[in-house]
């Protein structure tokens, strides 16, 4: 009884707070439905925590309050019934490929505010939903090669279809520089007809393949089986499923207990920070170096493997990996990345390793590595083709091995201690440096 009383008291206190404050709150009342009925289940939450099996329902309503925001995210999940697959999330006004919100079974949907005043919040619950979102299930669906989502449009005239339905699928290039090549079914069969008409007889997925000068499509094969060196003098969008890595410098700095940013200052030959005094215009009036006398962390290497995301910037270089056929779409943006990357691009033309300087601008001895699709191998000769990259490391920093393994198949031993070697072990490149493998 005591717990019930505490809950009621909290609810009354919350309502009172809404009525007395001038700050704005925003409330949401959203509905998520599985469509058609019986072909799958859905779940929704204002938080991103994965649901349990028991959480999935045919229809879910969510209402919640957010302070000082006009929009937020509703997290949604879909679970197809046996013999059906998920086609995507669609808004209430139209269930067509043109209105597809997301093809991912679990995603976040942006929802808009229903009300901005505290009085409306208290009175508003029970109004019509702000929006209804449909998780649509089907027998046959269409999809892009990952990465080609913006080079054309694809359509199926009946998104939610079932056995015996007649369907027509169509692919349309975005402009004259793009060409539609063919569809592939789940068995890899090619279909060149466009539009393509069929009668639904089983569960099937048709993938649209486009081509053009701006589209680079790579077949990575099975997970972890192929790594590709890549560089370009213009920006690119990496297809979903591609992981991209650069070799970046390790910043030898840290924060002390008082949140001072501690670095090694060569002019002072000591670890510490500069304590600056500023005038009203933020000009430095005086500067005093404060030595750090505490424990300095151990920096075991000058290099680290760094994963980066969806966008590739001009003039950068990367090692790519993925699974299956994935695409990179060049976007023509020549803005340089600004990233400090020890992978050197060959976007402007092939590079002869023998012609590279023996030292860098600071007279540090350089070691160069060629990428052979699996490893970086120390090299004093050889040519790196245009559009790939090589690795240039300062050999005076730490002893460098002859071979640096990248592909998991080449890693000796179970690095993670989980009993298996996976593509995730690529992120352990720095430890391979230290082990000298």
């Amino acid at each position: 009884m005591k717990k019930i009383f505490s809950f009621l008291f909290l609810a009354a206190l919350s309502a009172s707070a809404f009525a007395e404050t001038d700050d704005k709150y925003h409330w949401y009342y959203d509905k998520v439905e599985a469509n058609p009925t019986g072909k799958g289940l859905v779940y929704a939450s204002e938080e991103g925590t994965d649901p349990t099996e028991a959480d999935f329902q045919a229809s879910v309503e969510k209402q919640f309050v957010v302070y000082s925001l006009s929009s937020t995210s509703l997290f949604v999940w879909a679970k197809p019934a046996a013999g059906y697959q998920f086609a995507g999330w669609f808004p209430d006004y139209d269930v067509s490929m043109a209105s597809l919100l997301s093809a991912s079974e679990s995603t976040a949907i942006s929802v808009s505010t229903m009300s901005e005043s505290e009085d409306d919040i208290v009175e508003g619950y029970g109004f019509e939903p702000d929006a209804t979102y449909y998780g649509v299930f089907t027998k046959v669906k269409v999809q892009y090669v990952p990465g080609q989502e913006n080079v054309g449009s694809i359509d199926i005239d009946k998104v939610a279809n079932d056995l015996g339905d007649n369907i027509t699928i169509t692919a349309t290039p975005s402009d004259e520089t793009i060409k539609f090549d063919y569809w592939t079914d789940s068995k890899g069969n090619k279909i060149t007809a466009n539009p393509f008409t069929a009668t639904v007889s089983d569960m099937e997925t048709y993938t649209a393949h486009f081509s053009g000068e701006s589209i680079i499509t790579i077949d990575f094969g099975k997970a972890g089986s192929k790594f590709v060196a890549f560089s370009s003098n213009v920006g690119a969008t990496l297809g979903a499923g591609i992981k991209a890595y650069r070799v970046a410098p390790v910043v030898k700095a840290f924060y002390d207990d008082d949140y001072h940013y501690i670095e090694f200052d060569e002019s002072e030959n000591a670890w510490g920070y500069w304590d600056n005094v500023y005038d009203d215009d933020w000009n430095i009036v005086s500067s005093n170096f404060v030595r750090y006398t505490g424990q300095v962390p151990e920096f075991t290497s000058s290099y680290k493997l760094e994963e980066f995301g969806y966008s590739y910037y001009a003039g950068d270089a990367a090692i790519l990996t993925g699974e299956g056929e994935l695409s990179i779409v060049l976007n023509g943006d020549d803005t340089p990345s600004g990233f400090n990357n020890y992978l050197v691009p060959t976007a402007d033309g092939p590079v002869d390793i023998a012609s590279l300087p023996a030292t860098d601008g600071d007279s540090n001895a350089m070691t160069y590595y060629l990428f052979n699709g699996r490893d970086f191998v120390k090299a004093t000769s050889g040519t790196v083709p245009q559009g790939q990259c090589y690795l240039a490391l300062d050999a005076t920093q730490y002893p460098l091995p002859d071979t640096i393994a990248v592909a998991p198949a080449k890693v000796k031993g179970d690095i993670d201690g989980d009993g298996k070697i996976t593509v995730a072990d690529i992120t352990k490149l720095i430890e391979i440096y230290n082990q000298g493998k």
Side-chain angles (χ1 to χ4, degrees), residues 180-264:
F180 171 75
D181 288 336
Y182 52 84
W183 301 94
T184 53
D185 62 18
S186 57
K187 298 180 179 63
N189 298 314
K190 293 184 179 180
I191 302 158
T192 57
N194 184 40
F196 169 61
T197 300
T199 300
V200 178
S201 60
D202 202 351
M203 192 165 65
E204 185 58 270
T205 298
Y206 294 103
T207 303
H209 296 253
F210 294 90
S211 64
E213 291 184 2
S214 63
I215 302 173
I216 302 170
T217 300
I218 303 170
D219 186 359
F220 288 97
K222 295 182 179 179
S225 63
K226 182 182 290 186
F227 292 78
V228 176
F230 173 75
S231 68
S232 171
N233 52 19
V234 297
T237 300
L238 305 178
I242 292 180
K243 288 187 176 181
Y245 301 89
R246 59 171 68 95
V247 179
V250 173
V251 177
K252 294 179 175 62
F254 61 96
Y255 287 95
D256 66 9
D257 292 339
D258 295 320
Y259 300 103
H260 297 123
Y261 189 64
I262 307 298
E263 297 178 281
F264 185 82

Side-chain angles (χ1 to χ4, degrees), residues 105-160:
E105 289 188 10
S106 59
T107 189
I109 293 176
S110 178
V111 297
S112 299
T113 183
M114 187 67 177
S115 171
E116 288 189 349
S117 77
E118 58 272 19
D119 291 337
D120 285 344
I121 291 172
V122 176
E123 299 172 0
Y125 290 119
F127 283 16
E128 287 300 312
D130 188 9
T132 300
Y133 303 97
Y134 291 102
V136 176
F137 303 94
T138 189
K139 282 288 186 183
V140 174
K141 71 175 184 178
V142 292
Q143 66 181 20
Y144 296 91
V145 171
Q148 295 189 4
E149 292 83 359
N150 296 320
V151 302
S153 61
I154 56 176
D155 186 54
I156 181 168
D157 62 345
K158 191 170 185 180
V159 175

Side-chain angles (χ1 to χ4, degrees), residues 32-48:
V32 179
E33 289 189 355
N35 184 47
T37 302
K39 311 304 182 187
L41 300 173
V42 294
Y43 177 69
S45 174
E46 62 271 30
E47 299 178 352

Side-chain angles (χ1 to χ4, degrees), residues 326-379:
L326 305 170
S327 286
I328 302 168
V329 179
L330 304 178
N331 57 32
D333 184 0
D334 60 359
T335 305
S337 69
F339 294 111
N340 195 345
N341 185 4
Y342 290 111
L343 291 176
V344 183
T346 61
D348 294 325
V351 171
D352 181 6
I353 294 294
S355 68
L356 296 174
T359 60
D360 63 11
D362 296 323
S363 299
N364 297 315
M366 296 301 296
T367 298
Y368 298 104
Y369 292 82
L370 292 177
F371 186 63
N372 66 7
R374 298 178 304 177
D375 312 316
F376 283 109
V377 180
K378 187 183 293 185

Side-chain angles (χ1 to χ4, degrees), residues 45-104:
S45 174
E46 62 271 30
E47 299 178 352
T49 306
D50 287 340
T52 65
E53 291 288 320
D55 290 326
F56 285 95
Q57 303 173 49
S59 178
V60 180
E61 296 184 31
K62 285 292 176 181
Q63 57 186 27
F64 54 101
V65 176
V66 178
Y67 169 69
S68 193
L69 286 174
S70 59
S71 65
T72 190
S73 293
L74 182 69
F75 296 91
V76 290
W77 291 262
K79 180 183 175 184
Y84 291 85
Q85 59 183 332
F86 181 65
W89 296 101
F90 295 84
D92 55 351
Y93 61 87
D94 188 13
V95 181
S96 69
M97 290 302 297
S99 64
L100 176 68
L101 297 173
S102 174
S104 174

Side-chain angles (χ1 to χ4, degrees), residues 246-254 261-264 266 271 296-307 339-343 391-394 397-398 400 427-434:
R246 59 171 68 95
V247 179
V250 173
V251 177
K252 294 179 175 62
F254 61 96
Y261 189 64
I262 307 298
E263 297 178 281
F264 185 82
E266 293 186 0
W271 289 88
V296 176
E298 181 182 0
F299 296 97
T300 56
S301 178
S302 292
Y303 317 106
K304 65 179 179 179
L305 198 71
E306 183 176 79
E307 183 178 352
F339 294 111
N340 195 345
N341 185 4
Y342 290 111
L343 291 176
L391 180 59
L393 298 178
D394 176 359
Q397 293 292 311
Y398 293 93
L400 298 175
T427 60
K428 300 291 184 178
L429 178 59
I430 183 59
E431 296 186 12
I432 298 170
Y433 279 125
N434 297 337

